[in-house]
Amino acid sequence: MEKAVHVPEVVLNSGYKMPLLGMGTFNFPMPPIDELTSILVDAIKIGYRHFDTAASYGSEEGIGRAVAEAIERGIIKSRQQVFITSKLCCTQAHPQLVLPALKNTLGKLGLDFVDLYLIHWPISIKPEIDIQIIKKEDMVPFDMKGVWEAMEECCKLGLAKSIGVSNFSCTKLSHLLQIANIPPAVNQVEMNAAWQQQKLLEFCREKGVHVSGYSPLGANGGPWGSHAVMRCPILSHIATTRRKTIPQVALRWVYEQGESVIVKSFNKERMKQNLVEIFNWELSSEDNFRIRAIPQRRGCNGEPFIHPNGPYKSIDELWDGEI
């Protein structure tokens, strides 16, 4: 068996360690469960130790099966050797539904706890609604205080080792920090060379909240994706000069910000490249200067959650002007 790559870790404000590179598992369409399990077992073999899922992804069961199989086959010794992140669906972002939602997630994973549980969006939708088909009348005000208190209860019960948020602006995160008894350990947001999030990064560093970046390649091929990263002339030039690929340069840039990065590929060779080829080299100061000059544009802007009669009437309102 080839030796697995060791991924550096960060210590969160909760005291727990998290690998700085994780494997995202959102895919449309999702592979059949047996195929997904096989892909994820291969990922564990290669060296992935952090898996990112969500109630809305449909990949929780596959992750649970893969972890069980990896332990059975001796690829890893125990469940404690993998870090599992999952997220609360917007339809369950109601104080009384948070704990049942996490228990449902744990049931699908076949685990006693998740390492990190995130509020997926600062948004609440009526519980009975299909998350894929949202109408304006389905959006309801988000009870940040009540939902976060329920997240803290999940933490106190040991069902989530760390808790955090996703897609929170500086303004929303600031409000949460004022009311939280247990501060969020992580804010998972879109982050790449074409959406660098410098203001949010500085704010989170000041507050001790770790930033985890999704869509580091611009979600190329995804529903909200663009070619802003993969066809970026600046990144292409750096990649050619450094004898690297554009994805390797893009991933290395996020990693060098001191934040964790969520990569997503179900192709075995690309999984290896994403993991192996970002830790053993560095970008130069000139490279970083060039990357800072890349035009900035948010990709995943939350447009489906914007409705004239809903809590957020514009994209600007959702992101508190941080766009």
Side-chain angles (χ1 to χ4, degrees):
M1 186 187 300
E2 60 185 295
K3 189 175 180 182
V5 177
H6 173 71
V7 177
E9 297 175 315
V10 63
V11 179
L12 302 174
N13 63 20
S14 59
Y16 290 98
K17 293 179 180 179
M18 181 175 83
L20 280 166
L21 186 140
M23 181 173 174
T25 60
F26 173 79
N27 200 70
F28 186 81
M30 188 63 67
I33 186 69
D34 290 343
E35 182 182 339
L36 177 61
T37 302
S38 177
I39 289 167
L40 297 173
V41 170
D42 282 341
I44 296 172
K45 272 190 201 172
I46 294 165
Y48 286 89
R49 293 293 181 268
H50 178 183
F51 293 90
D52 182 87
T53 184
S56 59
Y57 291 178
S59 58
E60 291 174 326
E61 185 181 350
I63 290 174
R65 287 191 186 189
V67 171
E69 184 175 329
I71 294 170
E72 187 180 340
R73 291 169 55 182
I75 301 168
I76 53 175
K77 292 179 181 178
S78 70
R79 183 265 179 266
Q80 278 67 26
Q81 286 186 268
V82 289
F83 189 102
I84 309 294
T85 296
S86 194
K87 307 180 194 80
L88 175 73
C89 186
C90 298
T91 56
Q92 307 301 301
H94 305 270
Q96 74 279 14
L97 299 181
V98 175
L99 182 57
L102 177 52
K103 287 181 176 178
N104 188 51
T105 279
L106 293 174
K108 289 180 179 178
L109 288 165
L111 300 176
D112 295 328
F113 65 90
V114 290
D115 296 276
L116 178 63
Y117 197 45
L118 306 177
I119 298 173
H120 205 157
W121 284 86
I123 285 163
S124 293
I125 298 171
K126 291 178 181 176
E128 65 276 10
I129 299 304
D130 181 347
I131 190 68
Q132 309 300 332
I133 310 167
I134 307 168
K135 300 174 184 175
K136 60 185 178 183
E137 59 267 24
D138 300 331
M139 308 287 294
V140 294
F142 176 62
D143 178 3
M144 185 185 292
K145 187 173 188 296
V147 170
W148 189 251
E149 285 174 350
M151 293 285 287
E152 291 178 333
E153 183 63 18
C154 292
C155 197
K156 291 171 185 173
L157 291 171
L159 302 180
K161 298 297 185 185
S162 302
I163 51 176
V165 296
S166 182
N167 300 303
F168 270 50
S169 65
C170 295
T171 301
K172 289 183 176 62
L173 194 55
S174 178
H175 179 53
L176 177 58
L177 287 165
Q178 290 171 23
I179 61 175
N181 291 310
I182 300 174
V186 169
N187 186 14
Q188 188 184 111
V189 295
E190 178 187 11
M191 183 181 173
N192 54 61
W195 186 241
Q196 296 178 18
Q197 297 272 34
Q198 291 300 329
K199 179 184 176 183
L200 182 70
L201 284 179
E202 290 172 15
F203 179 80
C204 287
R205 285 171 190 151
E206 179 189 325
K207 301 299 182 183
V209 178
H210 179 76
V211 173
S212 186
Y214 69 78
S215 297
L217 305 183
N220 187 38
W224 63 83
S226 75
H227 301 301
V229 174
M230 294 301 290
R231 294 185 185 174
C232 174
I234 292 173
L235 295 179
S236 178
H237 174 79
I238 294 170
T240 301
T241 303
R242 305 302 297 273
R243 297 183 180 178
K244 301 291 181 183
T245 65
I246 290 176
Q248 286 162 5
V249 172
L251 295 175
R252 179 70 199 185
W253 177 82
V254 178
Y255 174 69
E256 286 191 11
Q257 306 313 298
E259 313 308 334
S260 55
V261 56
I262 305 298
V263 298
K264 209 248 80 186
S265 177
F266 286 172
N267 176 284
K268 192 171 181 179
E269 283 311 306
R270 284 199 293 272
M271 283 196 295
K272 282 184 183 177
Q273 290 171 10
N274 287 342
L275 189 67
V276 175
E277 299 294 337
I278 71 166
F279 298 120
N280 57 357
W281 64 287
E282 292 181 0
L283 292 163
S284 69
S285 55
E286 184 181 346
D287 293 336
N288 279 297
F289 181 78
R290 287 173 178 268
I291 290 171
R292 283 293 184 101
I294 294 172
Q296 297 294 292
R297 176 182 171 274
R298 189 188 293 278
C300 186
N301 60 16
E303 193 276 333
F305 303 124
I306 307 305
H307 294 291
N309 299 327
Y312 301 115
K313 296 170 177 56
S314 68
I315 291 172
D316 188 77
E317 238 180 64
L318 173 60
W319 298 105
D320 300 301
E322 300 166 27
I323 54 177

